[in-house]
Amino acid sequence: MMIPGFRPFEEYEEYPVDEMRRRAAEFAADMRRRRTVRHFSERAVPREIIDDCLLAAGRAPNGANRQPWHFVVVTDPDVKRLIREGAEKEEKEFYERRAPREWLEALAPLGTNEHKPFLEAAPYLIAIFAESYLVGPNGEKLKNYYVSESVGIATGFLVAALHHAGLASLTHTPSPMGFLNEILGRPENERPFLLLVVGYPAEDALVPDIGKKELSEFVTYVGNAG
């Protein structure tokens, strides 16, 4: 068994408590402005912004440090059109045949349907793939651990980083998403996890008039809090 090496944790930077309070409050306030957007501008976004957000996502904690994710960034109009066609085909089946009534009722306040023009309008589509296993140098399969949890955390990092940079995003999950493997040429050890639509919101963008739970509705403290 390989014995891991260790080094001092030099990256950590401690802040005074008042500074911690300020940073936490400012980040919470910034994230309160985050909204899922379905109306995107075609305005260009510099690639280096996307690269830095992806670097942030790549720092997410993950099982056994396997980093079981792959991000495919799509800007090609023809490829975006193919993705839209594949997604709308699956979504049409979902809305017309697959989805039970209670699911459709839950989605109704969001105004969603099988039409996905944002998949072509937004400057970036980021297809996020979960690596079920790694392929070793001799073609052997190496097990990955906590794949869904790891990729979910990385996706959360990415969504937060994009918002922090000043961009809007949409998490899109047509089901099934196997068409993404075919269109994007991804190997069989990768399964589509989520399609992230990224760009500036359209000037006339609308969002559902809905709210989020208050802290007391989704947090329970056990023991004495500082």
Side-chain angles (χ1 to χ4, degrees), residues 33-40 110 112 159 168-172 196-197 201 205-208 210 212:
R33 296 189 302 103
R34 192 210 66 79
R35 293 298 304 267
T36 292
V37 170
R38 291 180 172 83
H39 305 99
F40 284 85
L110 305 180
T112 60
V159 170
S169 67
L170 165 68
T171 53
H172 182 44
L196 196 63
V197 187
L206 299 173
V207 295
I210 56 177
K212 299 293 187 182

mmCIF file of all heavy atoms in Angstrom, residues 33-40 110 112 159 168-172 196-197 201 205-208 210 212:
data_model
loop_
_atom_site.group_PDB
_atom_site.id
_atom_site.type_symbol
_atom_site.label_atom_id
_atom_site.label_comp_id
_atom_site.label_asym_id
_atom_site.label_seq_id
_atom_site.Cartn_x
_atom_site.Cartn_y
_atom_site.Cartn_z
ATOM 1 N N ARG A 33 -28.891 36.971 -3.830
ATOM 2 C CA ARG A 33 -29.226 37.563 -5.127
ATOM 3 C C ARG A 33 -29.202 36.531 -6.252
ATOM 4 O O ARG A 33 -29.653 36.819 -7.364
ATOM 5 C CB ARG A 33 -28.246 38.689 -5.468
ATOM 6 C CG ARG A 33 -28.298 39.881 -4.530
ATOM 7 C CD ARG A 33 -27.444 41.035 -5.064
ATOM 8 N NE ARG A 33 -26.046 40.647 -5.262
ATOM 9 C CZ ARG A 33 -25.490 40.379 -6.446
ATOM 10 N NH1 ARG A 33 -26.219 40.423 -7.555
ATOM 11 N NH2 ARG A 33 -24.215 40.045 -6.523
ATOM 12 N N ARG A 34 -28.662 35.340 -5.960
ATOM 13 C CA ARG A 34 -28.568 34.329 -7.009
ATOM 14 C C ARG A 34 -29.946 33.801 -7.375
ATOM 15 O O ARG A 34 -30.733 33.436 -6.523
ATOM 16 C CB ARG A 34 -27.675 33.166 -6.539
ATOM 17 C CG ARG A 34 -27.295 32.215 -7.680
ATOM 18 C CD ARG A 34 -27.093 30.802 -7.183
ATOM 19 N NE ARG A 34 -28.331 30.205 -6.696
ATOM 20 C CZ ARG A 34 -29.283 29.697 -7.478
ATOM 21 N NH1 ARG A 34 -29.150 29.721 -8.800
ATOM 22 N NH2 ARG A 34 -30.382 29.193 -6.956
ATOM 23 N N ARG A 35 -30.226 33.776 -8.666
ATOM 24 C CA ARG A 35 -31.476 33.208 -9.160
ATOM 25 C C ARG A 35 -31.187 32.319 -10.362
ATOM 26 O O ARG A 35 -30.286 32.582 -11.150
ATOM 27 C CB ARG A 35 -32.458 34.314 -9.579
ATOM 28 C CG ARG A 35 -32.982 35.175 -8.435
ATOM 29 C CD ARG A 35 -33.769 34.349 -7.424
ATOM 30 N NE ARG A 35 -34.868 33.607 -8.004
ATOM 31 C CZ ARG A 35 -36.124 34.057 -8.072
ATOM 32 N NH1 ARG A 35 -36.445 35.251 -7.574
ATOM 33 N NH2 ARG A 35 -37.081 33.310 -8.608
ATOM 34 N N THR A 36 -31.975 31.276 -10.495
ATOM 35 C CA THR A 36 -31.930 30.465 -11.702
ATOM 36 C C THR A 36 -32.591 31.245 -12.826
ATOM 37 O O THR A 36 -33.694 31.777 -12.657
ATOM 38 C CB THR A 36 -32.662 29.135 -11.470
ATOM 39 O OG1 THR A 36 -31.910 28.364 -10.525
ATOM 40 C CG2 THR A 36 -32.795 28.347 -12.764
ATOM 41 N N VAL A 37 -31.931 31.320 -13.967
ATOM 42 C CA VAL A 37 -32.391 32.144 -15.089
ATOM 43 C C VAL A 37 -32.676 31.253 -16.288
ATOM 44 O O VAL A 37 -31.916 30.316 -16.564
ATOM 45 C CB VAL A 37 -31.314 33.205 -15.447
ATOM 46 C CG1 VAL A 37 -31.655 33.902 -16.750
ATOM 47 C CG2 VAL A 37 -31.192 34.225 -14.322
ATOM 48 N N ARG A 38 -33.755 31.536 -16.996
ATOM 49 C CA ARG A 38 -34.090 30.787 -18.205
ATOM 50 C C ARG A 38 -34.123 31.666 -19.446
ATOM 51 O O ARG A 38 -34.458 31.192 -20.534
ATOM 52 C CB ARG A 38 -35.430 30.063 -18.032
ATOM 53 C CG ARG A 38 -35.354 28.922 -17.027
ATOM 54 C CD ARG A 38 -36.681 28.201 -16.851
ATOM 55 N NE ARG A 38 -36.510 27.019 -16.029
ATOM 56 C CZ ARG A 38 -36.492 27.030 -14.692
ATOM 57 N NH1 ARG A 38 -36.657 28.190 -14.036
ATOM 58 N NH2 ARG A 38 -36.303 25.922 -14.000
ATOM 59 N N HIS A 39 -33.790 32.937 -19.264
ATOM 60 C CA HIS A 39 -33.733 33.862 -20.401
ATOM 61 C C HIS A 39 -32.320 34.452 -20.437
ATOM 62 O O HIS A 39 -31.943 35.229 -19.556
ATOM 63 C CB HIS A 39 -34.765 34.979 -20.261
ATOM 64 C CG HIS A 39 -36.168 34.474 -20.076
ATOM 65 N ND1 HIS A 39 -36.774 34.400 -18.844
ATOM 66 C CD2 HIS A 39 -37.063 33.998 -20.969
ATOM 67 C CE1 HIS A 39 -37.992 33.908 -18.975
ATOM 68 N NE2 HIS A 39 -38.189 33.649 -20.257
ATOM 69 N N PHE A 40 -31.545 34.070 -21.442
ATOM 70 C CA PHE A 40 -30.141 34.451 -21.518
ATOM 71 C C PHE A 40 -29.864 35.385 -22.680
ATOM 72 O O PHE A 40 -30.471 35.288 -23.752
ATOM 73 C CB PHE A 40 -29.260 33.206 -21.667
ATOM 74 C CG PHE A 40 -29.083 32.431 -20.396
ATOM 75 C CD1 PHE A 40 -30.016 31.487 -20.012
ATOM 76 C CD2 PHE A 40 -27.988 32.651 -19.574
ATOM 77 C CE1 PHE A 40 -29.860 30.764 -18.840
ATOM 78 C CE2 PHE A 40 -27.824 31.936 -18.396
ATOM 79 C CZ PHE A 40 -28.756 30.993 -18.035
ATOM 80 N N LEU A 110 -42.922 27.309 -11.729
ATOM 81 C CA LEU A 110 -41.669 27.704 -12.361
ATOM 82 C C LEU A 110 -41.834 28.009 -13.846
ATOM 83 O O LEU A 110 -40.919 28.546 -14.480
ATOM 84 C CB LEU A 110 -40.620 26.597 -12.190
ATOM 85 C CG LEU A 110 -40.359 26.151 -10.743
ATOM 86 C CD1 LEU A 110 -39.307 25.051 -10.725
ATOM 87 C CD2 LEU A 110 -39.916 27.330 -9.886
ATOM 88 N N THR A 112 -41.975 25.974 -16.439
ATOM 89 C CA THR A 112 -41.127 25.204 -17.335
ATOM 90 C C THR A 112 -41.960 24.386 -18.312
ATOM 91 O O THR A 112 -43.111 24.050 -18.047
ATOM 92 C CB THR A 112 -40.210 24.260 -16.539
ATOM 93 O OG1 THR A 112 -41.021 23.365 -15.763
ATOM 94 C CG2 THR A 112 -39.310 25.042 -15.600
ATOM 95 N N VAL A 159 -21.487 26.701 -9.484
ATOM 96 C CA VAL A 159 -22.633 27.614 -9.528
ATOM 97 C C VAL A 159 -22.349 28.861 -8.686
ATOM 98 O O VAL A 159 -22.611 29.997 -9.111
ATOM 99 C CB VAL A 159 -23.907 26.899 -9.039
ATOM 100 C CG1 VAL A 159 -25.048 27.894 -8.834
ATOM 101 C CG2 VAL A 159 -24.328 25.820 -10.033
ATOM 102 N N ALA A 168 -25.034 34.528 -14.709
ATOM 103 C CA ALA A 168 -26.230 33.771 -14.352
ATOM 104 C C ALA A 168 -26.063 32.338 -14.838
ATOM 105 O O ALA A 168 -25.280 32.052 -15.751
ATOM 106 C CB ALA A 168 -27.474 34.393 -14.984
ATOM 107 N N SER A 169 -26.807 31.420 -14.224
ATOM 108 C CA SER A 169 -26.733 30.021 -14.640
ATOM 109 C C SER A 169 -28.077 29.341 -14.454
ATOM 110 O O SER A 169 -28.959 29.836 -13.747
ATOM 111 C CB SER A 169 -25.643 29.269 -13.861
ATOM 112 O OG SER A 169 -25.984 29.159 -12.493
ATOM 113 N N LEU A 170 -28.180 28.193 -15.104
ATOM 114 C CA LEU A 170 -29.368 27.345 -15.003
ATOM 115 C C LEU A 170 -28.903 25.907 -14.927
ATOM 116 O O LEU A 170 -28.135 25.445 -15.775
ATOM 117 C CB LEU A 170 -30.272 27.543 -16.224
ATOM 118 C CG LEU A 170 -31.361 26.484 -16.455
ATOM 119 C CD1 LEU A 170 -32.416 26.545 -15.365
ATOM 120 C CD2 LEU A 170 -31.989 26.644 -17.829
ATOM 121 N N THR A 171 -29.359 25.183 -13.919
ATOM 122 C CA THR A 171 -29.076 23.753 -13.829
ATOM 123 C C THR A 171 -30.174 23.007 -14.578
ATOM 124 O O THR A 171 -31.340 23.075 -14.211
ATOM 125 C CB THR A 171 -29.015 23.294 -12.366
ATOM 126 O OG1 THR A 171 -30.209 23.703 -11.685
ATOM 127 C CG2 THR A 171 -27.815 23.911 -11.659
ATOM 128 N N HIS A 172 -29.771 22.302 -15.631
ATOM 129 C CA HIS A 172 -30.740 21.634 -16.501
ATOM 130 C C HIS A 172 -30.461 20.135 -16.496
ATOM 131 O O HIS A 172 -29.315 19.707 -16.690
ATOM 132 C CB HIS A 172 -30.620 22.193 -17.925
ATOM 133 C CG HIS A 172 -31.608 21.619 -18.890
ATOM 134 N ND1 HIS A 172 -32.943 21.444 -18.580
ATOM 135 C CD2 HIS A 172 -31.457 21.181 -20.169
ATOM 136 C CE1 HIS A 172 -33.571 20.921 -19.620
ATOM 137 N NE2 HIS A 172 -32.688 20.754 -20.589
ATOM 138 N N LEU A 196 -25.163 22.646 -17.318
ATOM 139 C CA LEU A 196 -25.200 23.985 -16.734
ATOM 140 C C LEU A 196 -25.174 25.017 -17.853
ATOM 141 O O LEU A 196 -24.260 25.021 -18.685
ATOM 142 C CB LEU A 196 -24.006 24.175 -15.796
ATOM 143 C CG LEU A 196 -24.061 25.350 -14.816
ATOM 144 C CD1 LEU A 196 -25.225 25.189 -13.841
ATOM 145 C CD2 LEU A 196 -22.744 25.460 -14.052
ATOM 146 N N VAL A 197 -26.187 25.859 -17.886
ATOM 147 C CA VAL A 197 -26.306 26.920 -18.883
ATOM 148 C C VAL A 197 -25.755 28.196 -18.256
ATOM 149 O O VAL A 197 -26.146 28.565 -17.146
ATOM 150 C CB VAL A 197 -27.775 27.106 -19.310
ATOM 151 C CG1 VAL A 197 -27.880 28.084 -20.466
ATOM 152 C CG2 VAL A 197 -28.406 25.765 -19.674
ATOM 153 N N PRO A 201 -27.845 37.288 -17.983
ATOM 154 C CA PRO A 201 -29.292 37.229 -18.180
ATOM 155 C C PRO A 201 -29.722 38.203 -19.268
ATOM 156 O O PRO A 201 -29.086 39.249 -19.470
ATOM 157 C CB PRO A 201 -29.846 37.640 -16.810
ATOM 158 C CG PRO A 201 -28.762 38.454 -16.187
ATOM 159 C CD PRO A 201 -27.468 37.890 -16.692
ATOM 160 N N ALA A 205 -35.173 39.493 -18.879
ATOM 161 C CA ALA A 205 -35.313 38.211 -18.185
ATOM 162 C C ALA A 205 -36.327 38.307 -17.049
ATOM 163 O O ALA A 205 -36.366 39.293 -16.313
ATOM 164 C CB ALA A 205 -33.962 37.756 -17.639
ATOM 165 N N LEU A 206 -37.127 37.270 -16.915
ATOM 166 C CA LEU A 206 -38.086 37.156 -15.824
ATOM 167 C C LEU A 206 -37.732 35.933 -14.993
ATOM 168 O O LEU A 206 -37.222 34.941 -15.520
ATOM 169 C CB LEU A 206 -39.511 37.015 -16.364
ATOM 170 C CG LEU A 206 -40.045 38.165 -17.211
ATOM 171 C CD1 LEU A 206 -41.406 37.791 -17.798
ATOM 172 C CD2 LEU A 206 -40.155 39.440 -16.380
ATOM 173 N N VAL A 207 -38.006 35.995 -13.708
ATOM 174 C CA VAL A 207 -37.804 34.847 -12.825
ATOM 175 C C VAL A 207 -39.086 34.620 -12.031
ATOM 176 O O VAL A 207 -39.859 35.553 -11.794
ATOM 177 C CB VAL A 207 -36.608 35.067 -11.859
ATOM 178 C CG1 VAL A 207 -35.302 35.161 -12.635
ATOM 179 C CG2 VAL A 207 -36.809 36.310 -10.996
ATOM 180 N N PRO A 208 -39.340 33.389 -11.616
ATOM 181 C CA PRO A 208 -40.554 33.115 -10.835
ATOM 182 C C PRO A 208 -40.563 33.907 -9.529
ATOM 183 O O PRO A 208 -39.517 34.101 -8.892
ATOM 184 C CB PRO A 208 -40.463 31.608 -10.568
ATOM 185 C CG PRO A 208 -39.572 31.081 -11.635
ATOM 186 C CD PRO A 208 -38.573 32.166 -11.902
ATOM 187 N N ILE A 210 -40.954 33.521 -6.369
ATOM 188 C CA ILE A 210 -40.948 32.525 -5.307
ATOM 189 C C ILE A 210 -39.867 32.893 -4.301
ATOM 190 O O ILE A 210 -38.998 33.711 -4.585
ATOM 191 C CB ILE A 210 -40.691 31.101 -5.853
ATOM 192 C CG1 ILE A 210 -39.377 31.066 -6.647
ATOM 193 C CG2 ILE A 210 -41.857 30.643 -6.721
ATOM 194 C CD1 ILE A 210 -38.998 29.700 -7.167
ATOM 195 N N LYS A 212 -37.343 31.516 -0.643
ATOM 196 C CA LYS A 212 -36.602 30.410 -0.051
ATOM 197 C C LYS A 212 -37.000 30.277 1.417
ATOM 198 O O LYS A 212 -37.518 31.208 2.034
ATOM 199 C CB LYS A 212 -35.086 30.653 -0.151
ATOM 200 C CG LYS A 212 -34.564 30.769 -1.573
ATOM 201 C CD LYS A 212 -34.686 29.448 -2.323
ATOM 202 C CE LYS A 212 -34.007 29.530 -3.691
ATOM 203 N NZ LYS A 212 -34.142 28.275 -4.451
#
